[in-house]
Amino acid sequence: MELENRKLPNATLSLILGILSFIACCFSAGLGGVILSGVAFYLANKDTRLYRQNPDGFDNYGQVKTAKIIAIIGLIIGLLVLISSIAFIVSLGGINEYFEYIQEMQMKQLEMQGQ
């Protein structure tokens, strides 16, 4: 009796989270990318352990390897964006000065649109 190969349970989810981590880096100063890629990497590692217990029982391990690579890249990019965001805030003098800077930029943008 031949056993049917199964899919690893978190392969697709970890791949999607890894891809979303790239987008989240842009909209959350890197923090969202770090979180999503961290979860994707954890899920991919969980599937890797499951695959190693029974390599012949699963047929989508390539997808898990891809998800792990994407998660690592997303984590690196997220960390770089997060570190640069923190450095920018520190260079301005702190969080209050950062918010003042944002308000000034918004006012300049509104002035430019009004002309």
Side-chain angles (χ1 to χ4, degrees):
M1 187 161 143
E2 191 175 314
L3 291 176
E4 182 179 324
N5 283 356
R6 300 176 296 158
K7 303 276 185 202
L8 289 160
N10 300 311
T12 303
L13 180 59
S14 59
L15 190 57
I16 291 170
L17 288 174
I19 293 169
L20 288 177
S21 72
F22 291 119
I23 298 166
C25 285
C26 300
F27 296 107
S28 64
L31 186 59
V34 169
I35 292 170
L36 290 177
S37 61
V39 172
F41 189 72
Y42 170 78
L43 292 174
N45 278 336
K46 191 174 175 184
D47 275 358
T48 298
R49 286 190 299 272
L50 187 61
Y51 175 78
R52 287 185 180 153
Q53 290 174 357
N54 184 13
D56 295 327
F58 301 100
D59 60 358
N60 63 338
Y61 183 63
Q63 188 177 7
V64 172
K65 291 192 298 187
T66 302
K68 193 181 288 191
I69 292 168
I70 291 173
I72 290 169
I73 294 169
L75 186 61
I76 291 169
I77 292 171
L79 286 172
L80 290 174
V81 171
L82 182 62
I83 290 168
S84 65
S85 297
I86 291 170
F88 181 67
I89 291 170
V90 169
S91 74
L92 289 175
I95 196 73
N96 291 332
E97 288 76 9
Y98 170 74
F99 286 124
E100 286 177 19
Y101 173 79
I102 296 297
Q103 286 178 341
E104 287 176 23
M105 291 297 111
Q106 289 174 341
M107 292 301 286
K108 286 182 181 179
Q109 189 176 25
L110 288 173
E111 288 174 5
M112 291 177 74
Q113 289 175 352
Q115 290 180 355

